[in-house]
């Protein structure tokens, strides 16, 4: 990679948006509260108005209550959580088995929000609302559980990434006193319990809400749109190509490639991660007349699963987005931890997750010394490896990774398949596009090169889990036969070459790479496609029937083509300067309309 390439100008869009339907209005600040008041008064029939604002856990409830009281002084504002939620000690006892004592891993919860509430107190609250002579605002996570029929129902939504940022700054989990707790434990409580409950609850509200309130940026300037605009925007989004909002995060092994190539904050020490397509974590921006509301991208998955995922993918996974694209930047950084992911049976029986973290590394870029650690060396003694890993946990006996693990040169556009159970790590001086299944937190670190995290705390090692999942027969010979160099030319015609590249037959994701000079024709064939422009400066996605407006994509951008799209064309734009382009496309095997 030449210096000129390394600092090439980028047009990578860090704030992609989806248009709200024509005529939509985004209210903010005082005008938002005034709009709620007007809508409630218009809907009531001779009795005091009732507004219910159901919040996602993590919304700044004290700030929201203060803003409501300041702007709507004629209303009684009732904190439903204070009025009717069960004591946190009871909730802790209820969910304790799911949280476990582990710092990182819990067991997937299947609770419903009503289990966190006292039904008698909710009924009493409803009776008091019916008897009041003043208009009322019920607010909090679970406000819609109150057995009243509100004149206006609002969902105050919040993206998970914003919740994580707030927790790093000291925010607590829902109704807990854990401001100073380890952030990994806060995340665990959200991932395994709170967010599961919250997504199930708000999914039931989508068809009923009159308004959606964006609480990501600030409560004072929260953006408000109608429920109809929200629902129509998501329906439209599921019928055309789109991008979610990427987010970037530093890490102990982080590098400099994204900072240079994607025009990130130059004062940051590094960037390790970019979640470029992980709808559970990412946001979706909805825009009208230059005003934007931010919602969790997961709202699209929950509200439009069949249109987005396709009938067969939805039947297999439910309302979950099974494909993940993210970046791992070690350019000028360090090695990732030596790790292994759980086998399907293990993740099901131990963590309650129904599919596992199969993955692959696609090299967007690489320096001359880049390597991937992949599989175990032929002839090694498993007992010796385990003993060496256990000895390394004391910090005084470094694990000799190169003695036991294959160290394979990595070059730009190489694609390494990594089925669960395979020991692996990305080495330094690589820029990896990770194409994988979505359960992204189930990484069992075996050895972390003697490092601590950027917070100064030793990063968790999970040897017990890891050793139970290492597939010892995945040695040098097996890796070379099964995981390396598997590029099959599917078709080749003038200006276009389609290749199958990865993944191993044990993994459910199919990946196709298309090289082209001008344009290439695709078809979603009834299943969701996730793509990244891995070569070339910019292209546009077009409909051969004009079903959607051309959608521009720049180098390294990940984009989603919903199942409902059908045929689409990827082609150079009038501004494209590159001579050649390439995309990688992932979809779930066996879910296309043409698949038996």
């Amino acid at each position: 990679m030449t210096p000129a390439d390394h600092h090439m100008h980028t047009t990578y869009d860090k704030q992609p948006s989806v248009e709200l339907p024509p005529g939509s209005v985004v209210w903010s600040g005082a005008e938002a509260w005034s709009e709620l008041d007007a809508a409630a008064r218009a809907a009531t029939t001779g009795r005091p108005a009732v507004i219910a604002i159901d919040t996602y856990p993590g919304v700044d409830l004290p700030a929201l209550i203060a803003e409501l009281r300041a702007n709507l002084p004629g209303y009684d504002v009732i904190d439903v959580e204070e009025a009717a939620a069960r004591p946190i000690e009871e909730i802790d006892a209820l969910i304790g088995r799911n949280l476990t004592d582990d710092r990182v891993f819990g067991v997937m919860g299947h609770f419903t929000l009503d289990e966190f509430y006292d039904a008698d107190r909710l009924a009493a609250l409803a009776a008091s609302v019916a008897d009041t002579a003043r208009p009322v605002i019920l607010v909090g996570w679970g406000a819609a559980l109150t057995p009243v029929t509100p004149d206006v129902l609002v969902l105050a939504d919040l993206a998970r990434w914003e919740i994580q940022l707030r927790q790093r700054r000291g925010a607590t989990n829902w109704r807990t006193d854990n401001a100073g707790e380890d952030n990994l434990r806060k995340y665990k409580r959200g991932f395994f319990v709170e967010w599961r409950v919250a997504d199930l609850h708000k999914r039931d509200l989508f068809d009923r809400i009159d308004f959606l309130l964006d609480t990501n940026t600030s409560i004072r300037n929260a953006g408000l749109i109608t429920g109809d605009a929200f629902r129509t925007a998501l329906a439209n989004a599921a019928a055309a190509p789109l991008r979610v909002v990427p987010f970037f995060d530093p890490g102990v092994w982080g590098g400099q490639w994204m900072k240079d190539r994607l025009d990130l904050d130059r004062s940051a020490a590094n960037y390790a991660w970019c979640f470029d397509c992980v709808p559970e974590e990412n946001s979706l921006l909805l825009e009208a007349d230059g005003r934007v509301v931010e919602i969790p991208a997961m709202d699209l998955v929950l509200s439009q699963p069949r249109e987005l995922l396709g009938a067969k993918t939805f039947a297999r996974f439910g309302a979950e987005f099974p494909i993940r694209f993210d970046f791992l930047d070690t350019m000028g950084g360090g090695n990732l931890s030596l790790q292994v992911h759980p086998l399907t049976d293990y993740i099901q029986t131990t963590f309650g997750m129904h599919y596992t973290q199969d993955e692959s590394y696609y090299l967007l870029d690489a320096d001359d010394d880049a390597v991937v650690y992949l599989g175990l060396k032929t002839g090694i003694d498993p007992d010796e490896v385990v003993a060496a890993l256990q000895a390394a946990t004391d910090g005084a006996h470094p694990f000799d990774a190169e003695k036991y693990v294959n160290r394979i040169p990595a070059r730009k556009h190489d694609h390494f398949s990594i089925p669960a159970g395979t020991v692996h790590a990305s080495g330094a001086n690589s820029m990896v596009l990770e194409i994988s299944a979505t359960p992204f937190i189930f990484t069992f670190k075996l050895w972390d090169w003697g490092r601590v995290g950027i917070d100064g705390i030793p990063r968790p090692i999970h040897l017990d889990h890891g050793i139970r999942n290492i597939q010892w027969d995945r040695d040098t010979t097996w890796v070379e036969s099964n995981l390396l160099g598997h590029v099959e030319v599917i078709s080749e015609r003038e200006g276009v070459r389609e290749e199958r590249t990865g993944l191993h037959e044990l993994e459910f994701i199919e990946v196709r790479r298309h090289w082209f000079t001008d344009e290439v024709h695709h078809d979603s064939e009834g299943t969701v496609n996730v793509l990244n422009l891995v070569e070339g400066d910019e292209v546009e996605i077009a409909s051969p029937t004009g079903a959607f407006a051309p959608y521009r994509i720049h180098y390294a951008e990940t984009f989603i083509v919903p199942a409902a799209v059908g045929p689409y064309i990827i082609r150079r734009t009038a501004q494209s300067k590159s001579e050649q382009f390439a995309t990688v496309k992932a979809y779930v095997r066996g879910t296309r309309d043409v698949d038996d």
Side-chain angles (χ1 to χ4, degrees), residues 302-530:
L302 295 172
S303 67
Q304 303 287 326
R306 187 178 298 274
E307 295 80 2
L308 176 67
L309 303 175
K312 292 180 181 178
T313 305
F314 180 41
R316 181 170 175 180
F317 293 96
E320 292 190 17
F321 199 89
I323 301 170
R324 177 189 70 170
F325 274 37
D326 63 88
F327 297 150
L328 309 173
D329 183 356
T330 67
M331 198 72 76
N335 299 332
L336 269 67
S337 63
L338 195 66
Q339 58 194 244
V340 67
H341 300 303
L343 302 172
T344 300
D345 183 66
Y346 194 86
I347 201 171
Q348 288 177 348
T349 59
T350 308
F351 306 113
M353 189 78 192
H354 64 277
Y355 64 106
T356 195
Q357 189 170 331
D358 289 314
E359 63 186 32
S360 67
Y361 289 164
Y362 188 95
L363 272 293
L364 268 182
D365 211 343
D367 274 348
D368 292 341
D369 59 349
V371 298
V372 167
Y373 294 86
L374 188 61
L376 300 159
K377 289 190 174 180
T378 299
I380 55 96
D381 179 356
D383 292 336
E384 181 183 337
V385 176
V386 170
L389 287 169
Q390 291 172 335
T393 61
D394 66 5
H397 300 84
F399 179 72
D400 189 354
E402 295 187 18
K403 179 179 178 181
Y404 302 110
V405 182
N406 299 307
R407 187 172 180 269
I408 301 167
R411 300 293 177 259
K412 185 174 182 177
H413 293 303
D414 283 350
H415 195 187
F416 299 92
S417 182
I418 311 171
T422 308
V423 175
H424 66 281
S426 175
N429 295 324
S430 297
M431 182 60 206
V432 170
L433 168 62
E434 190 173 42
I435 303 172
S436 63
T438 298
F440 58 90
I441 75 164
F442 296 95
T443 296
F444 303 145
K445 296 183 181 68
L446 305 171
W447 164 244
D448 201 26
W449 316 96
R451 299 177 298 210
V452 297
I454 58 175
D455 56 5
I457 301 173
R459 301 210 301 163
I461 300 294
H462 285 95
L463 272 190
D464 289 345
H465 288 309
I467 290 168
R468 293 189 186 105
N469 285 275
I470 293 173
Q471 300 301 285
W472 297 99
D473 60 343
R474 294 185 188 170
D475 58 10
T476 307
T477 302
W478 191 91
V479 167
E480 290 175 348
S481 299
N482 289 273
L483 305 183
L484 303 183
H486 285 262
V487 177
E488 175 190 354
V489 176
I490 301 297
S491 64
E492 191 162 12
R493 56 193 181 278
E494 186 177 353
V496 178
R497 183 170 76 253
E498 179 181 358
E499 303 167 335
R500 175 184 288 118
T501 167
L503 277 61
H504 190 266
E505 62 183 9
L506 293 175
E507 304 177 80
F508 65 74
I509 296 174
E510 177 79 1
V511 177
R512 300 291 179 90
R513 180 169 58 199
H514 291 80
W515 297 93
F516 60 100
T517 53
D518 291 307
E519 68 176 32
V520 58
H521 289 247
H522 292 258
D523 194 318
S524 66
E525 295 179 313
T527 193
V528 65
N529 293 181
V530 183

Side-chain angles (χ1 to χ4, degrees), residues 8 40 82 84 102 111 142 192 198 228 260 324 358 366 380 404 412 420 475 496 510 535 538 541 549 551:
M8 186 175 69
E82 283 294 318
D102 191 276
F111 304 98
F192 287 95
D228 286 340
D260 291 342
R324 177 189 70 170
D358 289 314
I380 55 96
Y404 302 110
K412 185 174 182 177
D475 58 10
V496 178
E510 177 79 1
E535 186 76 27
E538 70 172 36
I541 321 304
Y551 189 77

